[in-house]
Amino acid sequence: MSSSNPSFNELDDIYQDIILDHYRRPRNKVNIPDPDLFSRGFNPFCGDEVTLMITLATENQIKAIGFTGQGCSISQASASILTELIKGKSLKEIMEISDVFRNLVKGLAVSDEDLDKLGELEALKGVSKFPVRIKCALLPWSTLEDAISKNKDL
Amino acid sequence: MLNPKEIRKDFPILNVNVHGKQLVYLDNAATSQKPNQVIDTLTAYYRNYNSNVHRGVHTLSIKATEQYESAREKIAKFINAPSDSLIYTKGTTDGINLVAHSWGLENIESGDEILLTEMEHHSNLVPWQILAEKNGATLKFIPVTESGALDLSQLNILLTSKTKLVAITQMSNVLGTINPVKEICRQAHALGAYMLIDAAQSVPHMPVDVEDIGCDFLAFSSHKMLGPTGIGCLYIKKAILETMNPVNHGGDMVKEVTLNQATWNDLPIRFEAGTPNIADAIALGTAIDYLTELGMDQVQAYEEHLTTYALDVLKGLSEDFIFYGIPDPTKRGAIISFYSPEIHPHDIGTVLDRQGIAIRAGHHCAMPLVNGRLGLPATARASFYIYNTEEEVDMLVDSLKKTLQYFNR
């Protein structure tokens, strides 16, 4: 992919085709009525916004998930990938993924085994080279953690 | 006409490389760069006469006091104010808060109205929200037209005998719009209202004369006008200043103190409790010297020229970007906000940064204007100053074209 201009090569690390595809065609960008878990995440610094709505199949397993929001390609693609990745998973598995993803975008070492859990999220690895954009990638995940923690029964 | 090539020699930071490219600094509405003269003034103070002001009898303290007070005189003259009506603050935000906490708390009453605009920076909005809630006043807003001007046809409806204060920016930090503050001030005074001007964007870029405008309060910051951060000024009309009580109390602002009471010092240091920001105040004086030597009419003329050029060449990108603000470059400052429905402003900002070009992306601390009135999540903003060149504008245009190609791959 991409350009012959050398200063754009580094940008390919952050703006992978997968990311731009999720940005332009976000998955599960729908309102879910009567969600069991709900949170609106907002980044006051740049105005990025992600709202997550989740219904549970069992007390511990996600049935349906939708998001709404606006913001940069990184925050919105991260949200879109999140919704695809966590469907059907248990809350414990989700929290594990969230931890691994945090380490990945902060540039910390991640084992191959852990990397396998991330699926398309791995495409956001390059964000670690753009420190001010790390919070964009993490916004949907912080929002998810907030939605889960707000539900004390879980 | 100013010669930016000559001016650039005074600004060492303009030779810095960013990602292997020479810096193109187009974020001047956020903060300006500093010339050697200002940097040298700062280091000279700390190297040669660092000392406290207004109290020592020793040589260094006398020199520091002289420099601190002569800077005040220069700055006051710069906006045509008497120097005893000019208070040093931390910046525009600090100045507006001082007015709200001192004059505002004591004079704005239940049922009073405060008239603002839809284009205010949060610093000229939030202090009034807090005050209105505390004292039971109502906020009203002059709307912004489609083209980005204030809708002054609403003024005689919004401005009433209940209006106690009109607080307005002289230049929008998002749209660049220059507001007719003198005329608004005249109408405000005719109804007995007071007038505050947020001059954070205007004082650095155009001649501002508080006497001519007739305003009661005017606040600005040093760091947007070649000076250091952490210092700014608040002008208050003498007759009002004399009635106001200080917000901060302690050293320097008192005349006589007993165990149980104190009397206030003279104006304006009554409002400058504690050891002030001496070095930065003196260095702001040097920034004022620099701008005075160039001539503020020349500064404004050059920026108008550069804005005219920029708006003209940016027209070539109008299929992909929406450009905001009044089309007439004589009615706006050198600030251009733009938006692409396809590429988010932060992504534009990141890609331009890799080309060495610094712009701002976000809501610019004016969420009611950007998110509310314009209905955008954010804008990208290029803002110019005396050292920017037509070549740099061309580089911006070229890089925006490359950004489009990159994202539309």
Side-chain angles (χ1 to χ4, degrees):
Chain A
M1 74 183 190
S2 224
S3 77
S4 55
N5 184 330
S7 64
F8 281 90
N9 289 348
E10 286 181 341
L11 288 168
D12 295 346
D13 288 339
I14 182 170
Y15 295 118
Q16 292 195 20
D17 288 344
I18 295 174
I19 303 302
L20 294 188
D21 183 56
H22 274 276
Y23 176 53
R24 292 189 185 121
R25 300 189 304 113
R27 325 295 198 261
N28 304 308
K29 195 166 181 181
V30 287
N31 273 304
I32 305 281
D34 305 319
D36 298 309
L37 303 178
F38 175 92
S39 183
R40 175 176 179 263
F42 184 67
N43 182 344
F45 173 74
C46 52
D48 288 349
E49 182 203 328
V50 169
T51 299
L52 289 176
M53 292 147 285
I54 295 167
T55 55
L56 300 171
T58 69
E59 225 176 57
N60 196 27
Q61 197 162 33
I62 285 179
K63 182 177 155 195
I65 176 162
F67 86 100
T68 57
Q70 56 179 11
C72 68
S73 60
I74 305 300
S75 67
Q76 300 305 302
S78 179
S80 171
I81 296 171
L82 177 149
T83 61
E84 288 206 307
L85 192 62
I86 70 169
K87 213 179 282 181
K89 292 210 165 58
S90 73
L91 297 181
K92 182 166 173 287
E93 287 172 307
I94 290 166
M95 295 311 271
E96 279 171 16
I97 292 171
S98 185
D99 287 344
V100 173
F101 182 57
R102 269 178 200 279
N103 287 338
L104 182 81
V105 295
K106 287 176 180 170
L108 302 173
V110 173
S111 70
D112 286 350
E113 189 194 341
D114 277 344
L115 212 48
D116 285 343
K117 295 176 188 162
L118 295 183
E120 287 187 324
L121 271 185
E122 195 185 342
L124 285 162
K125 186 181 179 199
V127 170
S128 65
K129 294 179 191 167
F130 295 75
V132 294
R133 307 304 298 277
I134 292 173
K135 65 186 180 327
C136 307
L138 290 178
L139 177 65
W141 292 88
S142 308
T143 309
L144 177 63
E145 285 172 10
D146 183 58
I148 293 171
S149 71
K150 275 199 297 200
N151 194 326
K152 294 189 192 103
D153 300 339
L154 299 168
Chain B
M1 182 81 80
L2 297 188
N3 182 352
K5 300 251 158 38
E6 280 302 311
I7 290 172
R8 292 178 73 84
K9 292 176 187 166
D10 292 328
F11 291 79
I13 206 168
L14 298 178
N15 296 315
V16 161
N17 277 350
V18 173
H19 301 298
K21 304 281 174 70
Q22 186 173 319
L23 170 67
V24 175
Y25 186 78
L26 304 180
D27 194 17
N28 293 286
T31 196
S32 76
Q33 297 304 343
K34 326 299 176 199
N36 281 321
Q37 292 86 332
V38 167
I39 299 166
D40 292 346
T41 299
L42 280 173
T43 55
Y45 167 78
Y46 286 118
R47 282 178 190 280
N48 304 329
Y49 61 102
N50 173 54
S51 190
N52 214 326
V53 291
H54 299 147
R55 22 175 102 68
V57 291
H58 59 80
T59 304
L60 297 195
S61 175
I62 292 164
K63 173 150 190 199
T65 305
E66 274 171 9
Q67 294 292 313
Y68 181 76
E69 289 304 332
S70 88
R72 191 196 307 270
E73 278 166 30
K74 284 189 279 200
I75 302 160
K77 195 175 163 204
F78 189 72
I79 59 164
N80 195 25
S83 60
D84 59 359
S85 304
L86 195 84
I87 302 166
Y88 284 125
T89 62
K90 286 190 285 184
T92 308
T93 302
D94 191 37
I96 295 171
N97 274 279
L98 195 159
V99 176
H101 291 137
S102 174
W103 179 87
L105 269 180
E106 289 175 18
N107 289 280
I108 304 273
E109 293 166 2
S110 177
D112 284 349
E113 293 174 357
I114 302 171
L115 182 58
L116 310 169
T117 81
E118 281 183 341
M119 64 166 75
E120 297 311 311
H121 188 284
H122 297 163
S123 63
N124 195 30
L125 171 61
V126 181
W128 307 121
Q129 291 175 344
I130 302 294
L131 178 66
E133 201 183 324
K134 238 179 221 170
N135 286 16
T138 307
L139 301 182
K140 288 187 158 186
F141 301 92
I142 303 174
V144 172
T145 66
E146 210 49 45
S147 73
L150 289 181
D151 184 357
L152 293 174
S153 68
Q154 300 292 309
L155 190 59
N156 56 7
I157 301 163
L158 291 165
L159 198 58
T160 71
S161 56
K162 285 184 182 171
T163 311
K164 194 58 162 284
L165 175 71
V166 179
I168 287 183
T169 182
Q170 192 169 12
M171 186 191 289
S172 162
N173 71 314
V174 176
L175 302 169
T177 315
I178 297 172
N179 292 321
V181 288
K182 184 178 175 181
E183 174 56 21
I184 296 169
C185 183
R186 193 187 61 76
Q187 295 192 40
H189 282 168
L191 282 166
Y194 291 80
M195 175 89 176
L196 176 141
I197 294 173
D198 169 356
Q201 298 292 344
S202 57
V203 165
H205 299 280
M206 59 193 272
V208 172
D209 180 331
V210 293
E211 191 75 27
D212 179 55
I213 296 168
C215 57
D216 302 291
F217 311 94
L218 182 137
F220 58 97
S221 302
S222 149
H223 71 94
K224 293 186 201 292
M225 54 188 305
L226 311 180
T229 54
I231 187 90
C233 294
L234 172 66
Y235 159 79
I236 302 178
K237 201 180 266 178
K238 187 76 178 291
I240 300 166
L241 189 57
E242 281 168 343
T243 68
M244 282 171 56
N245 286 309
V247 174
N248 294 326
H249 308 91
D252 219 22
M253 56 77 66
V254 283
K255 205 163 239 172
E256 269 187 289
V257 182
T258 65
L259 279 178
N260 289 307
Q261 55 190 334
T263 55
W264 303 152
N265 206 335
D266 296 332
L267 294 170
I269 55 174
R270 185 183 301 174
F271 289 89
E272 295 170 8
T275 295
N277 188 349
I278 304 164
D280 292 324
I282 297 170
L284 169 58
T286 305
I288 294 285
D289 288 339
Y290 193 98
L291 288 169
T292 304
E293 198 162 312
L294 294 176
M296 286 312 291
D297 48 348
Q298 290 295 308
V299 168
Q300 187 176 23
Y302 178 68
E303 290 185 20
E304 202 177 295
H305 163 82
L306 198 60
T307 306
T308 306
Y309 180 78
L311 290 173
D312 191 46
V313 290
L314 286 167
K315 269 184 200 149
L317 297 172
S318 56
E319 270 185 30
D320 297 290
F321 293 96
I322 303 159
F323 295 94
Y324 292 89
I326 300 172
D328 180 352
T330 66
K331 292 183 175 157
R332 66 188 287 172
I335 295 171
I336 301 174
S337 265
F338 53 99
Y339 181 76
S340 154
E342 301 298 323
I343 314 169
H344 191 275
H346 296 134
D347 294 320
I348 295 172
T350 291
V351 176
L352 291 184
D353 176 59
R354 293 284 148 160
Q355 317 299 302
I357 300 175
I359 61 151
R360 172 88 180 259
H363 50 61
H364 318 294
C365 297
M367 292 177 82
L369 174 63
V370 174
N371 306 151
R373 178 63 183 89
L374 302 178
L376 303 173
T379 75
R381 180 187 72 183
S383 51
F384 309 102
Y385 210 4
I386 47 177
Y387 36 71
N388 291 123
T389 63
E390 290 181 7
E391 289 76 21
E392 288 180 316
V393 174
D394 292 340
M395 287 159 85
L396 172 69
V397 172
D398 186 51
S399 287
L400 284 174
K401 281 181 189 162
K402 284 179 183 158
T403 305
L404 284 169
Q405 282 166 9
Y406 181 74
F407 277 97
N408 294 333
R409 64 186 185 240

